[in-house]
Structure formats: structure tokens, C-alpha cells
Amino acid sequence: MHPNALLELATELLHRVLQFQQPADAVVSAFFREHKGLGGRERATLAETTYAVLRQRALFQHLAQSGRGEMERRLAILGWQGNEGFLRAAMNEAEQQWLQQVGAVDRAALPEKLRHNLPDWLAERLQSALGDDFWPFVEAMSRPAPLDLRVNTLKAKREEAQQALREAGIAAEPTPFSPIGLRVQGKPALHKLEVFTSGAVEVQDEGSQLLALLTDPKRGEMVVDFCAGAGGKTLALGALMRNTGRLYAFDSSGHRLAALKPRLARSGLSNVYPVQIAHERDDRVKRLAGKIDRVLVDAPCSGLGTLRRNPDLKWRQSPAAIDELVAKQAAILANAARLVKSGGRLVYATCSLLDAENEAVAAAFEASVGADFVRVPAADALAAAHVARADELVHENHLRLWPHRHQTDGFFAAVWNRR
């Protein structure tokens, strides 16, 4: 492909993504479906350039004001993640001079808002939560996330999966906390490998693995994954149950549950029952009241813990949207709690970084249920599930994961046992 044609495609893709009408990954996927002739390297350049611009949008828009031509083209040049020679060949002389001038700008001397690349409302909340840790957090969020895999212990041991990856030329290290995880650098094509197609490994962030381990389901139990989504945690729970008992995967979206089907087929699990529910008060939920041993509520949330993967979220969320989510989270948790039998366990989790969606929701729930649910210290629950260095993962008796501290996505979880 001619260099200028690739730069023009990057410009067009950014134009669509920066309208923020849909999640960036959905826009990128639709764009690639339209342009079926693109090779793997061209797709990688387009996708990575788009995400680089989303990560540093405030800075790049400031720097782009000095140039000429279409704004999205200048942003694509600033965020370019492909071959440098290719980019030089695509630019005219004026653009090359402008890029040199911009490259000479001392970025460390720019205002804070151009260095942290966060909207004001989010920067304020995170600065107050993190203090001196705010800038290390910003630095971690400006880099792509590693690729974490969960080993399906029904089909392989961690060492066996690691060896299979090594034989395919992929270096994988054991995850530092999860006893069932492997971490891979870069973005190798896994989906054609035997170790993946056989169901021996599944893509899942280490933090997400820890939520399943915290739920700690046992053989033969009745377990509910209340907001199952595409089922990453469902599959982890089913394997921890050794494919025994009954595991209900509830979700209000048939589309998301459909995405679970091929993953479920690979996993070899036969104890999973996907159930589409209308809402958290659905009759199918009510019928199981007081009958369930373990309930995991991975609640719909802002998703801000996944900014390394989904940098568009910081520009698409708002304080008003957070308030709506908090009300929804409280309602879902209250209804899910009714399923838990006497002596059973309830886990409330999000992939948010914000106290409002995390500690505040957990505290309000505790106040509403009184002595019926007793908080379990997260460090104890993690240690019981053979999680390494559990004390490092806990803040005020809750699981609290941060990308810059734990190299996982940002996660929160609170654990209770019913009296």
C-alpha cells in the first residue's frame, strides 16, 4: 500500500473514533470489516495509532493546533505507531518541518492537564485518591497492557501451558499473584495455536482471575455469575468447581451471552447454564432466592480500570454517567444478595478506579443489610485461594488493584459471608 494511502486511512479512522458515539474497539473492528484487503501489519499500525491518539488526545490536540491541514491527519502523524520511513514518505515538506518543530517542544514544561491527558473531573478524583502515586499511575496508563492468559486447569497445568507456548515461540511468565495465570509480552496471534483452540488457555487479565479466585467456589456447589458478560469469569469459576455442581451465567444481554458460547465449547465445561434475564428483579432470579452457595456480582461500571486497553473511556464517561451507574450498582447488589443462602458468599466487584463505584457502594450495602452479611477480609479470602502476596492487593479489607502497582487492570472487590 502507498504510504499516503495508509496515512489517509488512519485519518479517516480517527475521524470516526473521535466522534465518541461508540466504543473505539467497535469502530476499529467495523472499519477493518469495510477494508478487508488490509494486511496484518497495516491493521496493527492503524489500531495502535488510534489508541496512541486516544491515550494522549489532550496533548496531541494542543500540539496539532500549530499545523495546517485536517486535524485528524495531524493527530495521526503525532500518534503514528508504524514504520517511520513509511510516515516520512507520506508527509509533504511542510508537514515534515512542522513535525520537527513539535518534536522540539519540552513536554515536561507543559501544563499538568496536557501531561496527564485526563478530563478535569477524573484527574481531580484520581489525584485525591492517589496522592504522590498519581504520576506513576499516569505513566502506567500511557502504555498498552500486557496480554494475560488463564490456564484452564481442567485441561492443563500452568507449566504445561507455558511449555506449549514456548514451543510455539511465545515466551510466557507466571503471573505474580494468580496461581493459574501466564503473562505474555506483545500481541502474538494466539487464536490459531493448539494450546488456545484446545481450550487449555483463555485470554483473561490477572485481576479478573483474582475475582474468580476470591469467590472460591467448591465442587458440587450452586454458583451464580450475576453479570456474566462474555463469560471470562464464568469459565474461571467453572474450572475452579472442577466442572461439577451448577453454575448460572446471568446477563441482560443475549448478544454478550452468545459470545460466551464458543468459549464455553472450547473450555470443556458442562456445568454452565447461560440465562438471559430482563433485569436484576427477573422471576428467574427470584426463584433461586436463598439457594445459592456463591454469588459473584461483577457490576456494570465506568470501566476506568481498563484505560490501558480502552483509552476512549476517559473521554466518553462523565460525572452524571457515574451517578447513574452507582444507582444501578446498588440495585443489582441488593437483588443479587437475596440469592445467597445462609453461610454462603457474596462478592461485589467492578473494573472501576473510583471510590463512588467501589467502597461507597459496598459501605451503603453493609449499612442496608445490617448484621445479615459479615465482611470477609479480602487478604484472608485470597490467601485461602492460594493467591501469592495477598497482603499487597488489599486496601481497607477490600481487594484494590491498580495498573501501576500490580500490573493488572484496575479492579475492586468486597467479600461477605451471609450469617
Side-chain angles (χ1 to χ4, degrees):
M1 179 178 283
H2 190 276
N4 195 46
L6 191 59
L7 181 55
E8 281 176 6
L9 282 174
T11 304
E12 167 62 18
L13 178 53
L14 276 172
H15 183 74
R16 294 189 197 184
V17 166
L18 292 175
Q19 290 174 23
F20 296 119
Q21 287 173 351
Q22 280 183 294
D25 58 353
V27 178
V28 171
S29 295
F31 190 81
F32 288 164
R33 280 197 298 277
E34 272 177 48
H35 298 84
K36 288 196 166 67
L38 290 168
R41 195 169 294 173
E42 291 158 343
R43 285 169 181 247
T45 296
L46 292 170
E48 295 305 323
T49 298
T50 299
Y51 282 103
V53 171
L54 287 167
R55 285 192 181 95
Q56 302 192 69
R57 174 178 164 233
L59 170 66
F60 286 174
Q61 282 185 327
H62 169 78
L63 296 174
Q65 284 166 6
S66 62
R68 292 213 176 118
E70 195 178 349
M71 171 61 99
E72 283 83 4
R73 182 177 168 98
R74 281 173 276 155
L75 294 175
I77 290 169
L78 288 168
W80 190 256
Q81 296 295 306
N83 181 295
E84 289 296 320
F86 226 66
L87 178 62
R88 274 197 303 277
M91 289 190 288
N92 61 40
E93 204 172 318
E95 285 173 331
Q96 295 195 21
Q97 285 175 346
W98 165 74
L99 189 58
Q100 259 183 321
Q101 287 165 356
V102 165
V105 171
D106 178 8
R107 297 185 182 193
L110 291 169
E112 275 197 2
K113 124 181 239 169
L114 298 179
R115 288 188 290 130
H116 62 55
N117 282 284
L118 295 165
D120 292 340
W121 69 272
L122 182 55
E124 281 163 22
R125 293 192 192 196
L126 291 171
Q127 275 170 318
S128 88
L130 287 165
D132 292 343
D133 248 11
F134 176 71
W135 289 102
F137 163 78
V138 166
E139 170 60 25
M141 283 310 201
S142 70
R143 295 191 299 269
L147 177 66
D148 288 353
L149 306 175
R150 176 184 57 79
V151 178
N152 179 358
T153 48
L154 286 182
K155 296 201 165 191
K157 292 191 170 78
R158 178 153 72 169
E159 300 73 34
E160 292 167 349
Q162 187 180 14
Q163 177 63 25
L165 287 163
R166 192 181 295 126
E167 286 166 10
I170 295 168
E173 294 300 319
T175 42
F177 307 109
S178 166
I180 51 175
L182 290 168
R183 177 159 295 158
V184 176
Q185 294 306 323
K187 294 207 169 82
L190 288 174
H191 58 278
K192 291 179 183 158
L193 297 182
E194 160 74 12
V195 69
F196 181 79
T197 55
S198 69
V201 297
E202 184 69 52
V203 174
Q204 187 180 23
D205 183 76
E206 184 181 21
S208 179
Q209 296 177 34
L210 293 174
L211 299 185
L213 289 160
L214 202 56
T215 309
D216 199 23
K218 306 294 187 203
R219 286 172 182 266
E221 288 188 334
M222 298 253 286
V223 179
V224 169
D225 186 356
F226 203 85
C227 307
K233 289 172 214 64
T234 309
L235 299 176
L237 291 168
L240 290 169
M241 294 164 73
R242 307 301 300 167
N243 201 19
T244 63
R246 280 178 91 81
L247 172 55
Y248 294 97
F250 287 164
D251 204 273
S252 59
S253 162
H255 182 66
R256 284 195 293 264
L257 288 175
L260 167 60
K261 294 256 166 73
R263 302 175 80 187
L264 194 51
R266 271 201 312 273
S267 73
L269 292 172
S270 55
N271 65 339
V272 178
Y273 299 84
V275 182
Q276 187 177 352
I277 56 173
H279 42 66
E280 67 273 8
R281 301 175 311 285
D282 193 299
D283 284 343
R284 278 165 289 201
V285 176
K286 288 179 179 168
R287 276 185 222 130
L288 293 172
K291 293 178 181 170
I292 304 297
D293 295 285
R294 319 257 164 178
V295 177
L296 170 59
V297 182
D298 180 18
C301 71
S302 62
L304 292 168
T306 68
L307 283 180
R308 296 177 305 169
R309 301 170 202 283
N310 304 301
D312 55 313
L313 283 174
K314 60 187 172 183
W315 310 117
R316 291 174 54 232
Q317 290 293 5
S318 68
I322 302 297
D323 292 342
E324 281 178 33
L325 281 166
V326 167
K328 194 174 188 178
Q329 288 154 357
I332 288 172
L333 180 55
N335 283 283
R338 294 185 181 127
L339 298 179
V340 184
K341 72 192 223 187
S342 177
R345 172 167 291 186
L346 174 64
V347 177
Y348 169 74
T350 76
C351 55
S352 173
L353 303 168
L354 302 179
D355 291 355
E357 296 183 85
N358 296 333
E359 288 87 352
V361 171
F365 172 73
E366 285 180 357
S368 71
V369 293
D372 194 20
F373 282 84
V374 183
R375 190 192 299 183
V376 177
D380 295 352
L382 289 165
H386 309 293
V387 170
R389 296 154 50 192
D391 291 345
E392 296 173 31
L393 309 175
V394 173
H395 178 68
E396 293 177 355
N397 277 332
H398 297 310
L399 176 78
R400 199 63 147 96
L401 303 176
W402 292 91
H404 64 295
R405 290 178 190 159
H406 307 109
Q407 286 72 56
T408 66
D409 286 345
F411 279 103
F412 169 86
V415 189
W416 299 277
N417 284 347
R418 190 163 202 166
R419 281 187 188 278

